[in-house]
Amino acid sequence: MSMNEKTFEIVLYGRNKCHLCDEVELYIRSLAEEFPLRMRMVDIESDPALHEEMMFVIPVVEIDGEIVFRSITHVVTLKELHEELHRRTALS
């Protein structure tokens, strides 16, 4: 990994006992083998405003401060996450 390669800051919003959230967490962890990234998990139940905003659309994936994927019609796939990180790598 070169020095100027950017590390993606990824936040996964979800909650406990959300199997879809666990699945997306695994996708992101697998992408860490290919892309420099740091991931943190946020439990939406720890914050009433977040819970209100996101309870029907988790898992939600934020990349570099921008919410990129909300689970509205479907849950983000590994392929979609990969394509998004790849696209962002090409832009930098």
Side-chain angles (χ1 to χ4, degrees), residues 5-76:
E5 197 167 357
K6 188 176 159 327
T7 299
F8 292 108
E9 297 289 344
I10 298 183
V11 182
L12 175 60
Y13 294 91
R15 63 165 174 249
N16 287 336
K17 299 186 176 63
C18 162
H19 71 278
L20 295 173
C21 304
D22 296 342
E23 206 167 277
V24 173
E25 179 187 355
L26 291 176
Y27 296 161
I28 295 168
R29 289 193 189 287
S30 73
L31 289 169
E33 293 167 23
E34 186 179 341
F35 298 95
L37 65 86
R38 272 195 295 268
M39 177 183 66
R40 67 188 176 92
M41 315 280 293
V42 172
D43 181 348
I44 64 165
E45 292 181 338
S46 64
D47 178 334
L50 265 185
H51 186 258
E52 179 76 17
E53 181 192 345
M54 294 186 177
M55 62 182 158
F56 298 120
V57 295
I58 55 169
V60 171
V61 179
E62 178 185 285
I63 303 173
D64 295 338
E66 175 192 351
I67 289 183
V68 183
F69 296 108
R70 283 185 174 83
S71 303
I72 296 170
T73 54
H74 72 289
V75 173
V76 63

Side-chain angles (χ1 to χ4, degrees), residues 31 34-35 69 76-89:
L31 289 169
E34 186 179 341
F35 298 95
F69 296 108
V76 63
T77 64
L78 179 57
K79 182 173 188 288
E80 286 172 321
L81 284 164
H82 185 274
E83 285 171 354
E84 181 65 20
L85 291 182
H86 188 74
R87 185 181 70 78
R88 286 171 178 259
T89 301

